[in-house]
Amino acid sequence: MSESPVSPEPPIYRRIADGLRTSILSGELRDGDRLPGENALMAQHGIARATARQALAVLINEGLAVPKRGSGVYVRRFKPIRRHGSRRVAHSQWGNGRAIWDADAHGRAYTVDSVKISRGQADEETARTLGCTDVWIRQRRYSVDGRPVQLATSFFPADLVEGSPITRPDTGPGGVYARLGDLGHAPARFSEEVRARMPLPEEATALDLPAGTPVILISRIAFTAAGTPVEVNKMVLDAAGYVLQYDFDA
Amino acid sequence: MSESPVSPEPPIYRRIADGLRTSILSGELRDGDRLPGENALMAQHGIARATARQALAVLINEGLAVPKRGSGVYVRRFKPIRRHGSRRVAHSQWGNGRAIWDADAHGRAYTVDSVKISRGQADEETARTLGCTDVWIRQRRYSVDGRPVQLATSFFPADLVEGSPITRPDTGPGGVYARLGDLGHAPARFSEEVRARMPLPEEATALDLPAGTPVILISRIAFTAAGTPVEVNKMVLDAAGYVLQYDFDA
DNA sequence: CAGTGGTCTAGACCACTGC
DNA sequence: CAGTGGTCTAGACCACTGG
């Protein structure tokens, strides 16, 4: 008999990571504070460099810390943008010439860049949704406070928007939804699918994501009052930058 | 002149990881397929064990692969549950004696375990929402196909539910929402906040999450027709196991 | 029991940061 | 230029898996 080690001590690097995590979550270490570096951990705990790195990697992969080359590892901040699900797409928004995005940023500075518009073939799923493969594609990236926070790709049935401002960079006041309205296909109903996963490398690059930050994927379909799908919008959000809000009745 | 190395070759471990990722995303490697192990990568690329591990760690942290001790590293599968935002909480669901959860599982086997009910103090945010600190707390874990997929903690104002079945494990047909109705506080409106981040260790343990799997956090407030908040439900979902769907009008 | 991943040591060179 | 993190080598021992 003797020992009853139900939980055999966790490995060193875990214990170190646990200690640092506690310091962060308890508020002892704050927003931009510097964590003890590799050398400090080696000295404090008498471990090899690789082990110290391993401990820091845990926190980095949890999104609680960010490494800065040549400088140190720092506690990470989190100030999300509130994205209102139903309210944001309310007709009142784009009905009077405001772009949808306004509903999000709450007065914060935002920018749109990397706008790419093309005519092409939709992926299989989108084609099935729209009922056609010939589409116009609008890709763009949104930034808030100078930081990229969202990638968005919209698909429109080509025969529906051909020749309209939707096929050009500047869509005019109210954005694409107002233009769809001009064409007699005003969106009346939306369906959003929300997922989350770790980013692919290209997504991590485009959004400048540190390790340990998941992305939220939103796939939104816009329907007309008649039930015709007129847009599929696939968005990739920096999960650390957003809180999504949805209000609905029972 | 001479070199124009705009992108200085990525490190070895990245190139290896990129190659494996391509194989996975292209479908060349499928669901449960075994990836080349540490020894194989060492031999194929003439690298040290640590470097091979590093390459595999990339895929594991991306959630594309799962390591199995003593066996190998395997491609990870993804078969999400569809969780309907608005429809699921529709009155028709709990109005006629069905628990809400039924709306999710779509006929799949699901179980509830680790039910804990207690009377206690709400956290600051919840207290502010409910307008009181004295609450009844219902905690439970949901599993589908034998796999834990969700943790949920509900808070109810103590003075509102005291003595009702809500304070007991078995709430009867229709669940807690039907009981709130019995008490004259039927939920009429819901507000959900959705976030995503990497799990804390305890969340990872409770949901049995492999590395590289984020969690989706849903914080839902139930309001009566009069606008009184009667429940705050904080959920933690395995992000790999869910697709959330929200439908709404413009 | 042979192979696998999990942990750890003790070095090394590099690019980058900040003083 | 001293310190930091980023990458890599070449070993080692362990616990666990599978046939």
Side-chain angles (χ1 to χ4, degrees), chain A residues 6-218:
Chain A
V6 177
S7 51
E9 292 239 317
I12 300 178
Y13 79 95
R14 273 239 150 256
R15 292 207 299 271
I16 295 176
D18 290 348
L20 294 175
R21 186 187 307 104
T22 300
S23 299
I24 295 174
L25 296 181
S26 75
E28 187 182 331
L29 285 173
R30 316 259 237 73
D31 248 7
D33 286 0
R34 191 176 184 283
L35 293 175
E38 299 178 1
N39 295 329
L41 292 178
M42 288 168 70
Q44 285 174 34
H45 299 90
I47 56 175
R49 161 161 263 105
T51 307
R53 283 185 65 75
Q54 209 174 355
L56 293 172
V58 170
L59 301 175
I60 291 168
N61 281 326
E62 288 177 351
L64 296 174
V66 198
K68 293 203 173 186
R69 272 218 297 283
S71 174
V73 179
Y74 298 85
V75 176
R76 189 142 166 254
R77 65 191 175 83
F78 181 72
K79 292 179 189 170
I81 300 164
R82 182 167 296 264
R83 177 190 186 272
H84 290 276
S86 16
R87 213 185 312 171
R88 78 188 296 286
V89 198
H91 189 279
S92 58
Q93 289 288 338
W94 46 270
N96 56 15
R98 295 179 63 199
I100 280 187
W101 184 258
D102 287 353
D104 286 353
H106 274 61
R108 298 212 238 169
Y110 68 87
T111 58
V112 184
D113 68 351
S114 311
V115 179
K116 262 178 252 170
I117 302 174
S118 60
R119 201 179 191 289
Q121 304 297 306
D123 60 283
E124 196 192 329
E125 187 201 0
T126 300
R128 202 168 41 240
T129 301
L130 290 178
C132 69
T133 58
D134 247 19
V135 292
W136 274 91
I137 306 172
R138 296 182 63 94
Q139 296 173 279
R140 65 277 187 201
R141 186 176 73 164
Y142 296 99
S143 298
V144 170
D145 293 341
R147 192 180 112 196
V149 293
Q150 176 181 345
L151 308 174
T153 306
S154 288
F155 302 85
F156 304 89
D159 55 11
L160 205 126
V161 301
E162 199 69 72
S164 80
I166 290 176
T167 66
R168 293 187 287 277
D170 186 1
T171 52
V176 293
Y177 289 171
R179 294 298 81 72
L180 281 171
D182 297 346
L183 293 169
H185 297 97
R189 194 163 62 80
F190 295 89
S191 181
E192 295 197 351
E193 281 185 0
V194 180
R195 292 177 175 77
R197 60 161 167 74
M198 294 311 285
L200 299 177
E202 56 175 310
E203 295 165 340
T205 301
L207 290 173
D208 193 26
L209 298 176
T213 305
V215 287
I216 294 175
L217 306 178
I218 304 179

Side-chain angles (χ1 to χ4, degrees), chain B residues 176-204:
Chain B
V176 293
Y177 288 170
R179 294 298 81 72
L180 281 171
D182 297 346
L183 293 169
H185 297 96
R189 194 163 63 79
F190 296 89
S191 181
E192 295 196 349
E193 280 185 1
V194 180
R195 291 176 176 79
R197 61 161 166 74
M198 294 310 286
L200 300 176
E202 56 174 311
E203 294 166 340

Side-chain angles (χ1 to χ4, degrees), chain B residues 34 37-39 53 67 69-73:
Chain B
R34 190 176 186 283
E38 299 179 0
N39 295 330
R53 282 186 68 73
R69 272 218 298 283
S71 174
V73 179

